[in-house]
Amino acid sequence: MKNVSLSDLKAFLLVARLQSFQQAAGELGVSRSALSHAMRALETRLGVRLLHRTTRSVSLTQQGAAFLQRLDPLLNALDDVLDSTRFQPQELHGTLRINANEGGARWLLQHVVVDFLRAHPQVELDLVTDGRLVDIVAAGFDAGVRLAEAVPRDMIAVPFGGDIRFITIAAPAYLEQAGTPQTPEDLLQHRCIAQRLPGGKRYRWEFMRDGKPLTLNVPGTLCLDNSALMVEAVVLGLGIAYVPEPYARQALNDGLAVQVLETWCPPIAGLCLYYASHRHVPATLRAFIAAIRAVA
């Protein structure tokens, strides 16, 4: 392995995630200059430049990004092997606090929580649903759950549940009366059920076709802050809504709603559990991550 040490590889991983020598050095408990020297030595041993450096920032080279993509899962797998091998107490104890959006909490309840609590009856799982993207470290959470695009770049993310789609739906009776939109711009002539974000702003609907994004501030006389309520409003014939597909699935299956603008709603990267890139991860969180990976 060209005399490359595991500690240097983990240091590179941290620098790449934080994109800062100063922050990474603080996490590792070493000086900035020592960390920079270690990264230059790693590049020399590998014979490739991994990082672009300026006086103010650090970023990955193309080769560095490719190296990171292959290295990250390998080190995670190694951590899992070491954790499963080293001595563990018979029972895990303590509280595991996770901040999640509603959709993430529902998925975890349906696929992970029952078996996890059965396997670890002494663990108290504190699952907090919050529409706001909170600072999980400052708020005292062990982990958070959000869509991949909303995960802060300095966090370690564990994807689960697969890709997700946001879709536009309407009641058949509404479409019979108002017509079926053929393009997102047609929505400007329709009644739309808007969504209010936790910060107070109205959510702008996001579409994409042939790689070209389109964002619309749709009109409407009804604004809600809950996807399940938006689906109910659709069923009542109050207009067109833009919601995560899992929320609409039952109404679609029952024929109470139909999808429109389907080709404008491609899948995007789905949910992730994420946590701070500290050197020590609580045993309860590692066990929860293992439970997610077992079913994800």
Side-chain angles (χ1 to χ4, degrees):
M1 214 166 72
K2 297 185 179 181
N3 296 320
V4 174
S5 70
L6 181 59
S7 61
D8 284 347
L9 293 176
K10 289 189 172 183
F12 165 73
L13 206 64
L14 192 57
V15 171
R17 286 182 182 136
L18 298 177
Q19 296 189 11
S20 166
F21 275 113
Q22 193 66 43
Q23 292 183 45
E27 292 277 358
L28 295 169
V30 299
S31 69
R32 185 187 185 284
S33 60
L35 179 58
S36 179
H37 177 75
M39 292 301 95
R40 289 193 183 280
L42 175 62
E43 291 173 324
T44 299
R45 293 189 186 101
L46 294 176
V48 65
R49 187 174 183 181
L50 301 173
L51 300 165
H52 290 302
R53 300 165 175 83
T54 69
T55 55
R56 294 187 177 181
S57 66
V58 180
S59 61
L60 290 167
T61 64
Q62 183 176 356
Q63 295 91 338
F67 183 56
L68 174 66
Q69 186 176 15
R70 299 184 66 182
L71 177 65
D72 195 13
L74 291 175
L75 291 185
N76 282 333
L78 178 60
D79 284 340
D80 289 342
V81 169
L82 294 175
D83 285 338
S84 63
T85 303
R86 67 167 60 98
F87 172 78
Q88 295 284 356
Q90 291 298 315
E91 292 285 352
L92 294 179
H93 297 267
T95 300
L96 178 61
R97 300 192 70 227
I98 299 176
N99 181 283
N101 57 15
E102 183 181 354
R106 286 179 182 274
W107 194 95
L108 292 174
L109 282 173
Q110 293 170 3
H111 300 280
V112 177
V113 171
V114 173
D115 288 340
F116 175 78
L117 292 180
R118 184 178 294 128
H120 307 288
Q122 301 303 315
V123 173
E124 179 183 336
L125 179 61
D126 188 359
L127 188 58
V128 178
T129 56
D130 194 334
R132 298 174 299 114
L133 183 61
V134 303
D135 183 335
I136 59 170
V137 176
F141 290 97
D142 297 294
V145 173
R146 287 294 183 274
L147 289 175
E149 63 184 22
V151 175
R153 69 181 187 182
D154 60 341
M155 296 285 170
I156 298 174
V158 181
F160 64 86
D163 291 344
I164 192 170
R165 296 177 73 200
F166 282 75
I167 61 175
T168 41
I169 60 171
Y174 171 84
L175 295 177
E176 288 179 11
Q177 177 187 15
T180 300
Q182 301 301 313
T183 69
E185 290 89 349
D186 292 343
L187 294 171
L188 300 177
Q189 309 303 320
H190 281 264
R191 295 199 315 270
C192 296
I193 302 163
Q195 182 180 13
R196 183 76 62 187
L197 296 173
K201 294 183 179 180
R202 281 170 59 134
Y203 178 63
R204 293 167 63 89
W205 294 9
E206 300 173 286
F207 299 96
M208 181 173 291
R209 188 173 185 180
D210 299 327
K212 299 178 181 179
L214 175 64
T215 304
L216 286 178
N217 187 13
V218 297
T221 55
L222 177 63
C223 188
L224 300 169
D225 65 354
N226 181 281
S227 295
L229 290 177
M230 293 172 71
V231 174
E232 290 188 34
V234 164
V235 171
L236 292 172
L238 294 175
I240 300 175
Y242 182 75
V243 297
E245 188 174 11
Y247 285 89
R249 191 169 294 131
Q250 190 62 53
L252 293 172
N253 291 342
D254 293 342
L256 301 175
V258 295
Q259 186 176 349
V260 298
L261 301 176
E262 185 171 357
T263 59
W264 289 88
C265 301
I268 62 172
L271 294 164
C272 291
L273 179 134
Y274 65 96
Y275 56 97
S277 55
H278 294 155
R279 286 168 292 175
H280 174 70
V281 177
T284 50
L285 179 55
R286 284 205 175 275
F288 196 77
I289 291 170
I292 289 177
R293 286 176 171 160
V295 298

